PDB file of all heavy atoms in Angstrom:
ATOM      1  N   ALA C 184       2.960 -16.529  10.999  1.00  0.00           N
ATOM      2  CA  ALA C 184       4.212 -17.236  10.718  1.00  0.00           C
ATOM      3  C   ALA C 184       5.375 -16.257  10.682  1.00  0.00           C
ATOM      4  O   ALA C 184       6.470 -16.548  11.162  1.00  0.00           O
ATOM      5  CB  ALA C 184       4.110 -17.979   9.387  1.00  0.00           C
ATOM      6  N   ARG C 185       5.139 -15.072  10.112  1.00  0.00           N
ATOM      7  CA  ARG C 185       6.208 -14.084  10.033  1.00  0.00           C
ATOM      8  C   ARG C 185       6.643 -13.675  11.444  1.00  0.00           C
ATOM      9  O   ARG C 185       7.837 -13.589  11.729  1.00  0.00           O
ATOM     10  CB  ARG C 185       5.724 -12.853   9.256  1.00  0.00           C
ATOM     11  CG  ARG C 185       6.834 -11.859   8.990  1.00  0.00           C
ATOM     12  CD  ARG C 185       6.334 -10.644   8.247  1.00  0.00           C
ATOM     13  NE  ARG C 185       5.419  -9.865   9.077  1.00  0.00           N
ATOM     14  CZ  ARG C 185       4.863  -8.715   8.697  1.00  0.00           C
ATOM     15  NH1 ARG C 185       5.101  -8.239   7.493  1.00  0.00           N
ATOM     16  NH2 ARG C 185       4.041  -8.073   9.498  1.00  0.00           N
ATOM     17  N   ALA C 186       5.660 -13.456  12.317  1.00  0.00           N
ATOM     18  CA  ALA C 186       6.003 -13.090  13.693  1.00  0.00           C
ATOM     19  C   ALA C 186       6.777 -14.221  14.348  1.00  0.00           C
ATOM     20  O   ALA C 186       7.741 -13.989  15.090  1.00  0.00           O
ATOM     21  CB  ALA C 186       4.736 -12.774  14.480  1.00  0.00           C
ATOM     22  N   MET C 187       6.383 -15.466  14.068  1.00  0.00           N
ATOM     23  CA  MET C 187       7.066 -16.617  14.679  1.00  0.00           C
ATOM     24  C   MET C 187       8.497 -16.751  14.181  1.00  0.00           C
ATOM     25  O   MET C 187       9.355 -17.302  14.880  1.00  0.00           O
ATOM     26  CB  MET C 187       6.293 -17.902  14.410  1.00  0.00           C
ATOM     27  CG  MET C 187       5.060 -18.093  15.277  1.00  0.00           C
ATOM     28  SD  MET C 187       5.392 -17.978  17.040  1.00  0.00           S
ATOM     29  CE  MET C 187       6.393 -19.445  17.305  1.00  0.00           C
ATOM     30  N   CYS C 188       8.762 -16.274  12.965  1.00  0.00           N
ATOM     31  CA  CYS C 188      10.120 -16.368  12.417  1.00  0.00           C
ATOM     32  C   CYS C 188      11.104 -15.486  13.181  1.00  0.00           C
ATOM     33  O   CYS C 188      12.317 -15.632  13.021  1.00  0.00           O
ATOM     34  CB  CYS C 188      10.139 -15.997  10.940  1.00  0.00           C
ATOM     35  SG  CYS C 188       9.727 -17.380   9.883  1.00  0.00           S
ATOM     36  N   THR C 189      10.618 -14.559  14.000  1.00  0.00           N
ATOM     37  CA  THR C 189      11.542 -13.761  14.804  1.00  0.00           C
ATOM     38  C   THR C 189      11.897 -14.493  16.096  1.00  0.00           C
ATOM     39  O   THR C 189      12.591 -13.955  16.931  1.00  0.00           O
ATOM     40  CB  THR C 189      10.944 -12.387  15.171  1.00  0.00           C
ATOM     41  OG1 THR C 189       9.813 -12.605  16.032  1.00  0.00           O
ATOM     42  CG2 THR C 189      10.496 -11.622  13.952  1.00  0.00           C
ATOM     43  N   ASP C 190      11.391 -15.728  16.234  1.00  0.00           N
ATOM     44  CA  ASP C 190      11.722 -16.584  17.365  1.00  0.00           C
ATOM     45  C   ASP C 190      11.333 -15.928  18.699  1.00  0.00           C
ATOM     46  O   ASP C 190      12.169 -15.707  19.570  1.00  0.00           O
ATOM     47  CB  ASP C 190      13.233 -16.874  17.345  1.00  0.00           C
ATOM     48  CG  ASP C 190      13.562 -18.063  18.216  1.00  0.00           C
ATOM     49  OD1 ASP C 190      12.612 -18.788  18.571  1.00  0.00           O
ATOM     50  OD2 ASP C 190      14.749 -18.243  18.546  1.00  0.00           O
ATOM     51  N   PRO C 191      10.040 -15.617  18.852  1.00  0.00           N
ATOM     52  CA  PRO C 191       9.629 -14.849  20.029  1.00  0.00           C
ATOM     53  C   PRO C 191       9.417 -15.718  21.265  1.00  0.00           C
ATOM     54  O   PRO C 191       9.161 -16.910  21.170  1.00  0.00           O
ATOM     55  CB  PRO C 191       8.300 -14.244  19.590  1.00  0.00           C
ATOM     56  CG  PRO C 191       7.747 -15.235  18.625  1.00  0.00           C
ATOM     57  CD  PRO C 191       8.918 -15.885  17.945  1.00  0.00           C
TER      58      PRO C 191
END
Side-chain angles (χ1 to χ4, degrees):
Chain C
R185 187 181 67 177
M187 283 306 293
C188 275
T189 65
D190 197 15

